[in-house]
């Protein structure tokens, strides 16, 4: 399966083609390639969703239903993209070999993690009703790992069994559509099964590689996107089968295949900036590990786009 293309918020969408070129042979792609809508249109949708309704609209139930549908559309679109500048630490054996390059890459990783931590701290602190009160927003890595594992397993089982309803529930819309199309294009007589044999390398995996929070736009009422990248190492089995007269599965000879893989699963949700409640978590896609050489170019492009946006303001 091909990987999900990356796209940024605002004019950062221009980074999608450069960022999607990262390569990691140890990471399995989990979604067909697709392009995401730019956030200029998304920002306009958010502004329309947050616009105060007219007096007669408030009294109209149909207007309220239409508003709820618009809010759901904004929420669905918001998590279809992977943040530009997301740093996914590669395995140690893929780091630069010479000391100076290795140290520079390590320094970049520490800097990115520090920025993520600072942003999370600011968001959590702003969710406190008072300074000494408990924060309404909680960011738990163990809970994110459990969520990612559950969503990943549900997605893979649903993809194998042809359960399009589950695909729609656990995946972001731009990921769900091509996966559902894959199911539709599969021969009807081709029954497939997927099994999680075991989680491997449990001394390190699963682990959170990135945890970001960012508002959709600069308005204080704009929804906040929470995105987590969880690396999962597992042994998986897939095979084709037929149903016997007794309803039991009978594996077709030569179709069984076992895989030992590491996947960087990206999950996302929308956080309400008023109540600090999360929408349902969904799988956005998967990411390749950050390539040390390509990261420099992506970092340069991010800074260039940020400077361009600052000039426009």
């Amino acid at each position: 399966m091909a990987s999900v293309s990356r796209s940024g918020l605002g004019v950062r969408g221009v980074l999608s083609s450069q960022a999607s070129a990262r390569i990691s042979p140890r990471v399995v792609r989990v979604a067909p390639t697709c392009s995401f809508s730019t956030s200029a249109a998304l920002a306009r949708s958010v502004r329309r969703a947050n616009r105060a309704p007219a007096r007669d609209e408030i009294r109209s139930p149909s207007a309220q239903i239409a508003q709820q549908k618009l809010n759901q559309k904004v929420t669905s679109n918001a998590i279809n993209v992977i943040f530009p500048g997301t740093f996914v630490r590669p395995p140690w054996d893929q780091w630069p070999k010479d000391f100076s390059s290795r140290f520079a890459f390590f320094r970049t990783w520490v800097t990115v993690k520090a920025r993520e931590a600072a942003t999370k701290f600011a968001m959590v602190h702003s969710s406190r009703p008072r300074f000494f009160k408990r924060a309404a927003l909680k960011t738990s890595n163990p809970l994110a790992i459990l969520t990612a594992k559950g969503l990943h397993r549900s997605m893979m089982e649903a993809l194998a069994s042809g359960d399009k309803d589950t695909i729609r529930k656990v995946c972001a819309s731009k990921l769900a559509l091509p996966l559902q199309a894959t199911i539709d294009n599969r021969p009807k007589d081709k029954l497939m099964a997927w099994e999680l044999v075991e989680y491997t390398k449990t001394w390190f995996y699963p682990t959170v590689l990135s945890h970001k929070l960012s508002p959709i736009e600069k308005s204080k009422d704009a929804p906040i996107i929470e995105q987590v990248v969880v690396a999962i190492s597992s042994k998986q089995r897939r095979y084709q089968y037929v149903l016997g007269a007794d309803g039991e599965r009978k594996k077709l000879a030569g179709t069984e295949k076992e895989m030992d893989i590491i996947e960087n699963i990206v999950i996302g949700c929308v956080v309400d900036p008023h109540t600090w409640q999360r929408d349902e978590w969904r799988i956005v896609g998967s990411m390749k590990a950050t390539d040390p050489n390509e990261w420099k170019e992506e970092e340069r492009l991010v800074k260039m786009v940020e400077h361009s946006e600052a000039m426009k303001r």
Side-chain angles (χ1 to χ4, degrees), residues 13-302:
V14 300
L15 301 178
S16 61
S17 61
Q18 291 88 347
S20 62
R22 295 177 174 169
I23 298 174
S24 173
R26 300 179 63 180
V27 179
V28 165
R29 303 171 177 178
V30 300
T33 301
C34 57
S35 60
F36 299 123
S37 57
T38 62
S39 59
L42 177 58
R44 288 195 295 270
S45 299
V46 173
R47 287 193 289 270
R48 287 196 297 268
N50 292 332
R51 186 176 57 193
R55 295 173 65 93
D56 57 340
E57 290 178 334
I58 297 177
R59 301 191 187 97
S60 171
S62 60
Q64 293 178 4
I65 293 174
Q67 184 70 22
Q68 291 174 357
K69 290 182 178 179
L70 179 58
N71 290 339
Q72 291 173 357
K73 183 178 181 181
V74 171
T75 298
S76 177
N77 288 338
I79 62 172
N80 275 325
V81 296
I82 298 176
F83 290 146
T86 299
F87 192 101
V88 176
R89 181 184 55 75
W92 298 111
D93 58 358
Q94 296 179 21
W95 283 50
K97 303 303 180 184
D98 61 286
F99 177 78
S100 59
S101 299
R102 195 179 186 91
F103 178 77
F105 194 61
F106 174 78
R107 183 177 56 190
T108 301
W109 172 52
V110 171
T111 301
V112 171
K113 296 296 289 185
R115 289 174 181 170
E116 287 183 6
T119 302
K120 283 199 298 182
F121 176 82
M123 290 282 187
V124 171
H125 180 71
S126 63
S127 72
R128 298 177 185 273
R130 292 186 181 84
F131 186 80
F132 292 105
K133 292 291 185 178
R134 181 174 296 179
L137 177 65
K138 297 177 177 61
T139 56
S140 168
N141 281 354
L143 183 58
I145 288 173
L146 289 175
T147 301
K149 288 168 64 177
L151 290 174
H152 172 254
R153 186 167 185 169
S154 296
M155 179 186 71
M156 297 303 293
E157 289 176 345
L159 182 61
S161 64
D163 185 352
K164 294 192 290 185
D165 289 336
T166 298
I167 291 289
R168 186 174 60 253
K169 290 177 183 178
V170 304
C171 299
S173 59
K174 288 294 178 70
L175 172 60
L177 290 175
L179 292 182
Q180 290 172 325
T182 299
I183 293 172
D184 290 335
N185 295 331
R186 186 184 300 161
K188 302 303 180 183
D189 59 344
K190 189 176 183 180
L191 301 178
M192 300 189 67
W194 177 91
E195 296 176 358
L196 176 67
V197 180
E198 62 177 343
Y199 290 110
T200 57
K201 302 179 181 178
T202 54
W203 52 271
F204 185 77
Y205 296 99
T207 184
V208 171
L209 297 180
S210 175
H211 194 156
K212 289 177 173 286
L213 292 113
S214 177
I216 293 177
E217 58 176 11
K218 292 189 177 298
S219 169
K220 67 177 181 179
D221 295 324
I224 298 167
I225 309 299
E226 184 172 7
Q227 178 185 285
V228 186
V229 182
V230 180
I232 299 175
S233 177
S234 64
K235 177 182 288 186
Q236 306 172 14
R237 179 187 299 123
R238 63 185 180 188
Y239 57 88
Q240 297 180 30
Y241 68 93
V242 294
L243 291 176
D246 54 359
E248 293 186 0
R249 293 182 179 181
K250 295 183 178 180
K251 295 181 183 179
L252 295 178
T255 64
E256 182 173 331
K257 183 179 181 180
E258 283 195 357
M259 302 164 288
D260 285 297
I261 56 178
I262 298 174
E263 298 168 276
N264 298 325
I265 305 300
V266 185
I267 61 174
C269 70
V270 178
V271 181
D272 188 311
H274 302 291
T275 64
W276 300 103
Q277 296 298 310
R278 290 180 174 87
D279 192 14
E280 294 293 329
W281 285 97
R282 296 176 186 272
I283 295 183
V284 183
S286 69
M287 287 188 66
K288 302 169 186 175
T290 298
D291 182 271
N293 297 320
E294 293 176 0
W295 174 258
K296 295 179 181 179
E297 178 64 15
E298 180 173 345
E299 196 173 30
R300 185 186 68 82
L301 290 170
V302 168

